[in-house]
Amino acid sequence: MKPKHFLQFKDLEHSEFEYLFQRSKLLKARHAKRELYQPLRGRTLAMLFEKNSTRTRVSFEAGMNQLGGYALYLNSRDTQLGRGEPIEDVAEVISRMVDIVMIRTFEQEIIERFASHSRVPVINGLTDEYHPCQILADIFTYIEHRGSIKGKTVAWIGDSNNVCNTWMQAAKILDFNLHVSTPPGYEVEPERGESFESMHLECFADPHDAAKDADLLTTDVWTSMGYEDEADERNQDFADFRVDREMMKLAKKDALFMHCLPVHRGQEVEAEVIDGPQSVVWDEAENRLHTQKALMEYLLLGRINNS
Ligand code: CP
Ligand code: NVA
């Protein structure tokens, strides 16, 4: 049987997300009580990083450990990947030795090729195109604070990057409205946006229009990993796309602010917003741990009775 992967948000269905959100809540509560729960004893997670990470590495490593398994950190510098071993061969070999794999890399195509040669589930820990584990945690965080996200409006201000692309997939599956506002030249790629109905995706030239009446405002760095050569140009191009207190005031009164982190205070968001009362960024980061534990448990063991 083919393993189940999580390479893009749309790899799972609505009902599977409903299950994962319930399960994350339960695992979070158990963790808070320090209850030992180790369904993955004897299992190994291989984590392959071709880009830097704080949250993704720590949440997967700590999460696997808490579930009773072992997490193995690999990077392209120390492995034969750095010397040109084909990703397909690496997948064939690693997936005969471990039970589940998490990869952070560049093009989505790399992870897709790995998965097609893997005997075990593969999780996308960020590619140039997508960051599905982030949005899993973000939506769980929204639900914790405000209840269901169905029918709500999320405003994305900034770059139409991997995190934005993943919000777009989530809007369709979980039935909420996504407002996207990017500077000219950084718009959502037409082939990504064209299959959307306006109830799930609306693009705005002016970020203030996108923010109006939103339930959640969110943004990300102006320069993602791998695009560092463009940083100076981007700093100029994105200057009017900073989330500030004025923009927050246009959103609903009880709107939340999220950022996947790491943040550059004073660039994509004013310090007063990210450190202010509407910001839930620390819960958002913590929830990477709980949602990914639920995800690994699901990919390896399937649905567990929620008790
Ligand atoms: N948000 C996120 O993925 O953070 P890291 O790059 O630190 O893993
Ligand atoms: N868009 C950012 C997210 C970092 C977690 C990047 O790809 O660098």
Side-chain angles (χ1 to χ4, degrees):
M1 213 174 76
K2 278 193 152 194
K4 203 171 180 59
H5 304 302
F6 190 48
L7 307 180
Q8 303 189 24
F9 202 84
K10 68 175 187 187
D11 286 347
L12 299 183
E13 293 171 5
H14 186 278
S15 65
E16 293 176 296
F17 285 110
E18 291 290 330
Y19 168 77
L20 287 177
F21 294 139
Q22 280 174 24
R23 196 70 194 156
S24 305
K25 184 176 171 185
L26 188 136
L27 293 179
K28 184 172 182 175
R30 255 186 207 165
H31 182 65
K33 288 190 267 174
R34 296 278 156 216
E35 270 178 31
L36 212 57
Y37 174 63
Q38 302 192 315
L40 300 186
R41 258 195 314 275
R43 312 257 186 157
T44 303
L45 162 73
M47 307 185 294
L48 182 51
F49 282 94
E50 298 208 79
K51 293 176 177 170
N52 294 40
S53 169
T54 299
R55 280 143 287 270
T56 304
R57 175 173 178 184
V58 176
S59 55
F60 270 105
E61 193 161 334
M64 194 55 176
N65 180 48
Q66 288 163 21
L67 293 172
Y70 178 76
L72 175 64
Y73 172 80
L74 302 165
N75 62 48
S76 38
R77 235 183 7 263
D78 305 333
T79 59
Q80 298 287 6
L81 255 184
R83 296 178 60 247
E85 184 168 16
I87 195 80
E88 291 81 359
D89 295 1
V90 177
E92 293 283 357
V93 172
I94 291 184
S95 74
R96 286 175 183 230
M97 297 177 178
V98 305
D99 302 278
I100 186 163
V101 177
M102 191 283 307
I103 305 181
R104 168 167 286 196
T105 186
F106 292 90
E107 295 88 359
Q108 179 73 14
E109 192 222 332
I110 298 173
I111 200 170
E112 305 273 352
R113 280 166 49 208
F114 187 104
S116 69
H117 286 259
S118 173
R119 292 183 173 195
V120 301
V122 179
I123 298 173
N124 181 345
L126 182 145
T127 57
D128 290 349
E129 287 90 340
Y130 300 111
H131 197 1
C133 293
Q134 183 66 53
I135 304 310
L136 184 66
D138 292 4
I139 294 176
F140 177 66
T141 308
Y142 186 86
I143 295 168
E144 275 190 322
H145 282 268
R146 296 284 183 265
S148 172
I149 198 162
K150 182 176 159 70
K152 298 286 164 61
T153 298
V154 176
W156 173 271
I157 312 294
D159 192 15
S160 63
N161 62 13
N162 42 12
V163 181
C164 175
N165 291 338
T166 312
W167 272 112
M168 285 167 52
Q169 292 193 344
K172 218 187 230 182
I173 297 166
L174 299 175
D175 193 18
F176 59 88
N177 189 18
L178 183 65
H179 288 180
V180 174
S181 185
T182 63
Y186 298 90
E187 293 91 351
V188 172
E189 290 163 334
E191 63 275 18
R192 260 183 234 290
E194 67 198 2
S195 64
F196 280 80
E197 292 174 41
S198 62
M199 60 192 281
H200 293 137
L201 176 67
E202 279 181 83
C203 296
F204 296 82
D206 184 337
H208 298 93
D209 293 336
K212 201 166 174 302
D213 295 329
D215 297 280
L216 165 63
L217 247 72
T218 182
T219 186
D220 187 10
V221 291
W222 290 342
T223 305
S224 286
M225 292 180 278
Y227 297 82
E228 287 80 3
D229 291 352
E230 300 173 15
D232 289 343
E233 198 179 336
R234 283 171 170 265
N235 287 348
Q236 288 176 17
D237 295 344
F238 282 79
D240 295 332
F241 286 75
R242 177 173 303 119
V243 177
D244 56 15
R245 282 162 289 179
E246 187 200 337
M247 218 181 267
M248 285 303 294
K249 275 196 199 127
L250 295 169
K252 292 216 177 103
K253 251 198 165 60
D254 68 344
L256 299 175
F257 173 78
M258 289 191 194
H259 188 307
C260 64
L261 305 175
V263 64
H264 300 86
R265 288 177 176 77
Q267 279 197 12
E268 69 268 14
V269 58
E270 239 184 14
E272 287 79 356
V273 172
I274 192 158
D275 299 321
Q278 288 167 278
S279 171
V280 291
V281 293
W282 310 132
D283 289 343
E284 192 188 348
E286 179 191 331
N287 284 335
R288 296 289 304 278
L289 172 70
H290 310 299
T291 50
Q292 289 162 192
K293 282 169 73 178
L295 177 68
M296 288 191 287
E297 182 195 55
Y298 178 62
L299 295 179
L300 286 171
L301 305 179
R303 287 185 195 233
I304 313 272
N305 257 345
N306 256 336
S307 54

